[in-house]
Amino acid sequence: PSPSKPLLTRDDQFRSYLYVGQMVEAELWLNRLVSKAPDDAELRELLGRLFEHKGDGAAAASQYGRALELRLAASPETDAQPFAGLYVKLSTLAPANPLVEKLAALFHSKNDQTAPPEHADETAGDGLDPEVHYTLGVAYKNMGLLDEAQEEFSVAMKSSAVFLDSCLMTAVCLKER
């Protein structure tokens, strides 16, 4: 018999933990995987997403920064644009991080017409980034304010960057009701 493939990818497993609201289990699972493979950029990104989901921006920024370093070190080409999303998350969560300043030229020098991130033009009517609304929604949900959380998630859904996560969290709120 051939070795069996895992039923779920790591990303699918991560999403399933979030879907059922098992943050502690997700963190334990990811920390166990990261301890076995500390230089796995994908795991670092997932851990960053978990911390961001929990509202811990500093820990998320730390993981995103490490993932970005790992991806850039492993990339033989000089084009860093595939990793621009990680840079944007890092610079949003921790603008004072030394890595942000160090890599600024790498991500902003192309023709000096700095292309905005794919969701930069997607702002809510109040001018806030939809990711801010998503983070507020998570905070409200964690405090048990489900109506307020759903309201924030509905605003955040206007952004492609957090659309799926906002839908998932809306479902979690509805399930808790």
Side-chain angles (χ1 to χ4, degrees), residues 8-58:
L8 297 174
T9 65
R10 293 189 295 199
D11 192 53
D12 290 340
Q13 180 67 42
F14 174 73
R15 286 178 187 269
S16 69
Y17 277 125
L18 291 185
Y19 180 74
V20 295
Q22 295 180 327
M23 302 300 161
V24 173
E25 291 83 353
E27 189 171 351
L28 290 170
W29 173 71
L30 283 170
N31 280 325
R32 189 176 64 247
L33 292 176
V34 167
S35 71
K36 292 178 183 177
D39 293 335
D40 187 324
E42 180 188 356
L43 288 173
R44 295 288 182 164
E45 283 184 57
L46 288 176
L47 197 51
R49 283 176 49 198
L50 176 67
F51 287 133
E52 190 174 8
H53 187 78
K54 290 171 57 176
D56 188 348

Side-chain angles (χ1 to χ4, degrees), residues 31 64 90 98 111 118:
N31 280 325
Y64 287 142
L90 177 62
N111 300 331
E118 53 196 61

